Amino acid sequence: DSGVTQTPKHLITATGQRVTLRCSPRSGDLSVYWYQQSLDQGLQFLIQYYNGEERAKGNILERFSAQQFPDLHSELNLSSLELGDSALYFCASSLRQGDTEAFFGQGTRLTVV
Amino acid sequence: SQQGEEDPQALSIQEGENATMNCSYKTSINNLQWYRQNSGRGLVHLILIRSNEREKHSGRLRVTLDTSKKSSSLLITASRAADTASYFCATDVYNNDMRFGAGTRLTVKP
């Protein structure tokens, strides 16, 4: 158990809908990363937060947004969903911003039908 | 965009053999990490090597880093069937985001 909790584990929704994925980082970790992994692909970096502030942005679509709350949990919002958004979405947390290992949650498997 | 590129994409070996995976990257880095992913599950951290280090060991794992060639290798010695997984390198570009490559899928046959 990494200590990072992602909910829900599975999500099936229709095209055009909006969903929210939630991540609770490991206790004491200030940095949260979000990644998208399509079938048998590598991890695409989406966005990183540190202590509530956005610190880095990757290939995140405009239809996607995220935030980190004062209690350090984070949410990834995906809107106007398309079939191609079906993927595993991972959250990871680390103590510092970089230069340290990250701990991954078990992911949320999103299926858009 | 991806920062690291692992090579080979897939590797199949017999139990007891050594497995070597390589990672190349494009820009200067602060550190490089290797992670392991069992099918469809979260990634697990294996080892971190900083830009001023050349080699690091952890159990049956040996990681090297050549910053002049912008490359790293992960060696797993005396492999076991339980080592079957995908292995990813991740680069930390000066304390910002952590970018992963596409991974090497390792199969260890008993």
Side-chain angles (χ1 to χ4, degrees):
Chain A
D1 182 7
S2 67
V4 178
T5 304
Q6 287 188 249
T7 56
K9 287 186 169 54
H10 301 276
L11 195 51
I12 301 175
T13 190
T15 54
Q17 294 298 305
R18 182 180 190 273
V19 297
T20 297
L21 311 184
R22 183 188 167 99
C23 170
S24 294
R26 216 171 53 118
S27 178
D29 284 356
L30 299 177
S31 192
V32 169
Y33 306 80
W34 284 98
Y35 294 90
Q36 178 193 57
Q37 186 178 37
S38 300
L39 191 63
D40 292 333
Q41 299 291 310
L43 278 80
Q44 292 287 336
F45 169 71
L46 296 178
I47 199 163
Q48 182 210 355
Y49 285 87
Y50 179 78
N51 204 20
E53 292 188 9
E54 180 186 307
R55 287 303 174 94
K57 221 167 185 176
N59 300 323
I60 187 166
L61 300 171
E62 284 190 12
R63 300 184 286 110
F64 296 1
S65 65
Q67 60 184 124
Q68 186 179 30
F69 294 87
D71 67 352
L72 300 176
H73 92 271
S74 179
E75 292 181 357
L76 178 66
N77 300 298
L78 315 176
S79 61
S80 302
L81 285 167
E82 302 174 358
L83 295 177
D85 297 327
S86 296
L88 262 173
Y89 290 84
F90 286 106
C91 164
S93 73
S94 64
L95 181 62
R96 298 185 296 273
Q97 184 180 263
D99 198 35
T100 185
E101 69 179 285
F103 295 84
F104 279 76
Q106 290 303 304
T108 292
R109 184 173 294 280
L110 173 66
T111 303
V112 182
V113 297
Chain B
S1 62
Q2 299 298 93
Q3 163 73 321
E5 295 276 345
E6 288 90 346
D7 172 62
Q9 288 185 325
L11 180 61
S12 182
I13 60 174
Q14 293 294 133
E15 208 165 27
E17 294 180 340
N18 295 342
T20 300
M21 289 159 267
N22 302 296
C23 169
S24 59
Y25 55 92
K26 296 172 185 171
T27 63
S28 296
I29 59 172
N30 190 38
N31 66 60
L32 185 143
Q33 303 183 49
W34 285 91
Y35 286 80
R36 164 197 169 120
Q37 182 184 34
N38 287 84
S39 182
R41 300 184 66 81
L43 279 71
V44 175
H45 180 264
L46 296 176
I47 201 162
L48 181 154
I49 186 165
R50 292 195 165 78
S51 58
N52 61 352
E53 297 175 310
R54 291 296 166 258
E55 188 169 312
K56 211 161 180 182
H57 297 255
S58 177
R60 294 184 295 112
L61 306 181
R62 173 178 167 253
V63 167
T64 61
L65 179 64
D66 187 335
T67 53
S68 66
K69 294 181 179 177
K70 292 186 170 59
S71 68
S72 172
S73 67
L74 169 67
L75 168 68
I76 303 175
T77 59
S79 63
R80 305 166 182 167
D83 294 328
T84 294
S86 291
Y87 292 83
F88 295 88
C89 67
T91 51
D92 174 358
V93 185
Y94 295 105
N95 295 343
N96 287 319
D97 51 47
M98 191 170 57
R99 306 259 177 160
F100 286 82
T104 292
R105 185 174 298 183
L106 173 66
T107 302
V108 181
K109 300 175 185 174

